[in-house]
Amino acid sequence: MKVMQSKLHIIVLLLTILFPLSVFSAGDKVDLMEQKWPFNGIFGRFDNTALQRGFKVYREVCAACHGIRHVSYRDLKDIGFSSDEIKSIAGEYEIKDGPNDEGEMFQREALPSDKFVGPYENDNVARVANNGAYPPDLSLIVKARAGGADYLYSLLNGYKEYPEDYEASEGMYYNTFYPGNQIAMPSPIEDDIVEYDDGTEATHTQIAKDVTAFLAWTAEPELEERKSLGVKTLFFLALITIMLLGVKRKVWKDLD
Amino acid sequence: MKELNTNTKNKPTPVDEEKRDFLFITTAGLAIAGGGAFAWSMIDTMNPSKDVLALSTTEVDLSPLEEGQSLTVMWRGKPIFIRHRSESEISSADNVSVDDLPHKETDESRVKNPKWLVVVGVCSHLGCVPLGQKVGDTKGEYGGWFCPCHGSHYDTSGRIRKGPAPLNLEIPPYEFVSDDIIRIG
Amino acid sequence: MNNQENKQTGITGWIDKRLPVFTFINHNLRDYPTPKNLNYFWNFGSLAGITLVIMIVTGILLAMQYTANTDIAFDSVERIMRDVNNGWLLRYIHMNGASMFFIIVYIHIFRGLYYGSYKYPREILWMLGVVILLLMMATAFMGYVLPWGQMSFWGATVITNLFSAFPVIGDYIVTFLWGGFSVDNPTLSRFFVLHYLLPFAIVGVVALHLVALHQFGSNNPTGLDVKSSGDTIPFHPYYTVKDYFGLGVFLIIYAALVFFAPNFLGHPDNYIPANPLQTPAHIVPEWYFLPFYAILRAVPDKLTGVLLMFAAVLVLFLLPWLDKHKVRSATFRPFYKQFYWLFFINAIVLGWVGAMPAEGVYVLIARIASVYYFSFFLIIMPLLSRFEKVGELPSSISAAVLSKKFDKDTNESYAK
């Protein structure tokens, strides 16, 4: 009985302390526009058609300023492009190679084995071209922001007019979800800014959703494999742990 | 209340023998299988990775190569010897009785177009790169290549003729994409 | 059982006569007499050992793919994640393994603290454990720098700058640690080498830890000494199967983290490549350093803060002499038990406040919690050693086990 009481004490103590603490920490956060992504959850999978639409958005809109330098053209196979399609996509990019036998650098068409060619030669060129604001590489952006895909989706949908009597800086835009609310990137998407090959209506939210899904894939291309292997592994471990409990009970039985 | 058996440990409890029953054996078997699968997945990280495998094709333009000249290109981190063979080199490679060779291969089986010999430039003995590509290089007694490490002589078909190497220079997988361009890999 | 050693024939017997490895294994892993009343908190020692092995094996495999150069360190990690076969699995196991290692070791320490495992005759055993903790902290810190993300870089900068608090020599120490005038390539390079080296030092200290353990055997939940062979059971098969089962449960939790929330304990900023020109808005160390980080920030004076933070770990070395109460286990110490649980909660509060911004009410909470942290060791323990009265202890481990069983049986019959 004594033991029970002291345990109860502890639980009550923990609750009284941690409850008000959790209230503190819930403070100044903006609620993100949470979506039901198909890649969430333990059985999460990417929707390849959405990823391909998102890739189109990336290529036609984002790629003007943002690279995805950790992704190779050959990786597009994972989202359903054929080898020939990948080759022709890669062929649209020019990459600097060399030096050749004459010791000179030269331009050549990118190969599937190359990484995606970014829009700028180096970071400083990127800054100069964008009023000093560096457009970050997008390959890891979903992993590199608190809130992940929901944050990115919210950001793309979060552009508003400046509220009245807000001291706006020049060349900055107002975004509800951006930390500090002033972002150097103008709203990148609008209705019908791309035309989808599969006939999906290219609304603002649809585009935001597709490109977010695509960037979730570039950040975690291993996600599907990870989750399916995870389910199998957990099933195996649960099974063997139950069996080990049986073994343990059997061995210990003769002590009782 | 049962009486507690405090003496268990003093008696030589035949726990091991007696209890190797079905549950024990299946549990152990399953654990070993799972551990093995995991161990393999970790060891597999040391196998060639995707980016390494992706680099396994190289295209080479042969047009600048004059007769008698050689070209070395890299393929999978190894040198590939490409030689634009002259008529005399082709005939000297052809006029050898295959039965006299240590590694019996006809010249015909080693080329796609007799003018062009494409071989992996790695000695089949212990992996050195033979001489014979550059103008001043010694080409060995048979006019092909000579491996300086342990003295293996290769002929104009890249076949081993003399020395410790057991096999001919390897032929990489390649094909002619057009008359002047080959794709290795 | 002793006869068995002599009975060995054939190859094992031949080897054993010249190199008694089989006798050693038999003695330390089979017959090794272990108190029969150990609860599941005694699983954490072997779990820590297994985790250390997992970390070393995955670490060696990672080192084969990783490049310790500021230009490509970040990219080489991404290459592991994307291109190396099962590379993501390898990295996530290693990354989350560090967290699991600390969870296990902290539980292991709290177990020792509750059951008085640091008291006579196990003082050196305990102190070796503290050495292991220190080595783990150093290893974990340097490992976190290697991916060369924003948190890696700024964590390295902040932690190495702690040494600048020391008067006169502080700046020289920091420059020396960096091998330059900022955290840069020389720093990364040496951190990688040391991160690879220190785990083997940990293995060495673990070996000593085990030698010291087997000198007197395990403590147990009653804290009573083993008085007769009736108090013990052979390690194998009883505790081997119990450890296997515990390992299964542990692996379930570990795997759930690796496969379904691999970045839950990490920080998003570490997926941004290191940028020496821009500090992230909130710098937070890995969770296992948070309580100590909170103590550091609770103190307004730089040097005192640094010293107190180090003291928070080092005070553990003194434990055997701060708590001189004759009774080991908190089970029989009504007051110590209360303070102990308060200390446990206090440690969690410290960890939580360490993750909060250092302002307003958080500073106050951090200060109160820091004061309690040290008072627990330096004031409460010595006072309780003198004044805490305890009731009658069971006469032996067997007697304690019996009365517990009796309680349980009578309770059950009441319930009926």
Side-chain angles (χ1 to χ4, degrees), chain A residues 61-62 155-156 159 185-190 193 204:
Chain A
V61 183
C62 320
L155 184 86
L156 291 173
Y159 284 90
M185 172 173 75
S187 176
I189 50 180
E190 56 191 66
I193 195 168
H204 186 121

Side-chain angles (χ1 to χ4, degrees), chain C residues 121-245:
Chain C
R122 297 186 181 84
E123 297 95 330
I124 292 188
L125 172 62
W126 171 264
M127 290 162 80
L128 287 168
V130 181
V131 172
I132 294 173
L133 176 65
L134 283 170
L135 286 171
M136 275 176 64
M137 288 176 149
T139 309
F141 160 65
M142 289 191 277
Y144 193 60
V145 177
L146 303 185
W148 209 241
Q150 275 287 67
M151 280 294 162
S152 300
F153 180 87
W154 290 101
T157 303
V158 168
I159 300 297
T160 47
N161 260 318
L162 290 178
F163 292 91
S164 70
F166 295 106
V168 189
I169 52 165
D171 287 337
Y172 293 103
I173 296 178
V174 175
T175 314
F176 172 75
L177 289 176
W178 289 341
F181 301 101
S182 63
V183 174
D184 208 336
N185 206 45
T187 328
L188 178 62
S189 189
R190 66 186 60 181
F191 277 18
F192 176 55
V193 172
L194 293 173
H195 180 72
Y196 198 103
L197 174 72
L198 284 187
F200 297 99
I202 295 179
V203 170
V205 185
V206 166
L208 295 177
H209 193 66
L210 286 176
V211 172
L213 171 69
H214 285 218
Q215 184 74 3
F216 293 99
S218 297
N219 185 24
N220 66 84
T222 65
L224 302 172
D225 285 324
V226 170
K227 292 196 174 104
S228 68
S229 59
D231 289 343
T232 63
I233 47 178
F235 190 79
H236 180 76
Y238 297 106
Y239 285 110
T240 39
V241 290
K242 199 176 176 182
D243 278 351
Y244 283 141
F245 170 62

Side-chain angles (χ1 to χ4, degrees), chain A residues 68-73 75 114-116 139 217-218, chain C residues 82:
Chain A
I68 42 171
R69 69 191 178 95
H70 294 294
V71 184
S72 302
Y73 297 104
D75 293 335
D114 288 314
K115 300 270 176 203
F116 264 86
S139 21
W217 170 75
T218 62
Chain C
R82 288 158 196 269

Side-chain angles (χ1 to χ4, degrees), chain B residues 9 41 44-45 49-51, chain C residues 65 79 82-83 85-86:
Chain B
K9 78 151 269 285
S41 74
D44 191 32
T45 60
S49 55
K50 283 187 233 161
D51 55 329
Chain C
Q65 312 281 356
R79 184 186 153 266
R82 288 158 196 269
D83 287 338
N85 308 316
N86 305 313

Side-chain angles (χ1 to χ4, degrees), chain A residues 93-143:
Chain A
Y93 292 80
E94 286 235 308
I95 197 166
K96 197 179 194 181
D97 202 349
N100 61 13
D101 294 344
E102 278 84 47
E104 277 161 22
M105 303 302 280
F106 58 92
Q107 295 285 331
R108 65 164 170 83
E109 281 183 6
L111 294 169
S113 57
D114 288 314
K115 300 270 176 203
F116 264 86
V117 180
Y120 303 108
E121 185 130 351
N122 56 53
D123 292 2
N124 290 353
V125 175
R127 280 203 185 81
V128 169
N130 292 281
N131 289 326
Y134 174 66
D137 187 86
L138 294 183
S139 21
L140 281 165
I141 204 79
V142 169
K143 257 171 151 181

